[in-house]
Every structure is written in C-alpha cells, then in structure tokens.
Amino acid sequence: MENGVQQTQATTTPPSPPMPKVGVAVFLLNGSKVLLGKRLSAVGHSTFALPGGHLEFGESFEECATREVKEETGLIIDKTEYLTVTNNVISEKVHTVCVFIRAVPADINQKPETLEPEKCAGWDWYEWNNLPKPLFGPLEDMVQSGFNPFPTT
Ligand SMILES: Nc1nc2c([nH]c(=O)n2[C@H]2C[C@H](O)[C@@H](COP(=O)(O)OP(=O)(O)OP(=O)(O)O)O2)c(=O)[nH]1
Ligand SMILES: [Mg+2]
C-alpha cells in the first residue's frame, strides 16, 4: 500500500501454446473385417475412422481402448494388444500422437450401436480389402504404407 491506495495486480495468464494430445484408436477385428464409422466431429468430418478417443489421466492404453469402444459403440472388447504408434499433425491446432490397439469383440453377435450420434453417423464392419472412402487421414496414411492390423498366423 502506498499513500493509502491499494495496487491491484493484473492476474491474466498468457494463453498456453497448443500441445500434442495422446489418442488411442482401435482396430476391432471380426474375421477379415474391421469396425469403422463415419466421423461427424470437426476433425476429419465425413471420413471413415476407427473407434477411439483421447487418453485420460492415469489410464493404460488398453483401458482407454476398452472405455472408448464401449462409450462409442456399446461393444465389449477382448484380447487387446498394442500394435503401433503414429505421429499425426492433423491441422494447425490438432496434433495427436495416436496409439493403435488391436482387439476382438467379446461377443461377435453383439451389434455396434451409435451411442455418440453427434460424433459418428454409424458403425459398420468393412472388409479390409474393400475399405470405404474417404478414410480419416491418419488411417489412410497407414493403409497407404502397407500396414496390416491382422495377426500373422
Ligand atoms: N477415433 C480415431 N482417432 C484417431 C484415428 N487415427 C488417429 O490418428 N486418431 C487420433 C486423432 C484424433 O484426434 C484422436 C482422438 O480420437 P477422436 O477424435 O475420435 O476423439 P473423441 O472425440 O472420440 O474422444 P474424446 O476427446 O472425447 O476423448 O485420435 C482413428 O482412426 N480413429
Ligand atoms: Mg472418437
């Protein structure tokens, strides 16, 4: 205090710079098919992508994969396995390090449900050799590079 006048300190914090996030996407396999849905989110709108989302604090990759598939499709997954990781600079504001997990449905007769209709137009099984177009950019890059999510027998 000076001359009885209280100084007020500016409390504004500078905007934090954009940071990469961790994504987890799931190759849910059913015979020679994979589960894909048409995205309605701003990122990759109208492209076909795997179920998945962002890693939450304290989660394992497998826990995140299980949670996201359940939240988005209602499906319970089994036999989760780490496949690979990719670095995706998707736009000026979106940079995702994406971990890919392979899994199978616990019950192959259970039908996928569209539980987040604001994010996905609907889920369906697609033959790996006849994928729908356009694929979500990071997934298209993987397919173009020759990546194959199926176990080698
Ligand atoms: N869902 C999904 N995400 C992918 C794929 N490939 C890929 O790099 N990602 C990355 C980019 C996405 O910004 C990020 C998170 O997935 P998302 O966009 O579906 O996130 P979300 O809204 O469902 O989840 P959340 O933020 O509520 O946790 O994962 C893919 O094929 N499917
Ligand atoms: Mg998602």
Side-chain angles (χ1 to χ4, degrees), residues 33-38 48-49 112 120 122-127 132:
K33 295 180 178 177
V34 294
L35 190 74
L36 297 173
K38 191 186 267 189
F48 288 88
C120 177
W123 299 102
D124 214 338
W125 298 102
Y126 294 89
E127 284 290 342

Side-chain angles (χ1 to χ4, degrees), residues 39 52-53 72:
R39 287 174 70 86
E72 295 185 349

Side-chain angles (χ1 to χ4, degrees), residues 23 25 39 49-50 52-54 68 72 88 90 96 98 100 119 136 138:
R39 287 174 70 86
L50 305 164
H54 293 101
E68 285 289 347
E72 295 185 349
N88 304 310
I90 295 170
T96 311
C98 191
F100 290 85
K119 287 189 183 177
F136 186 33

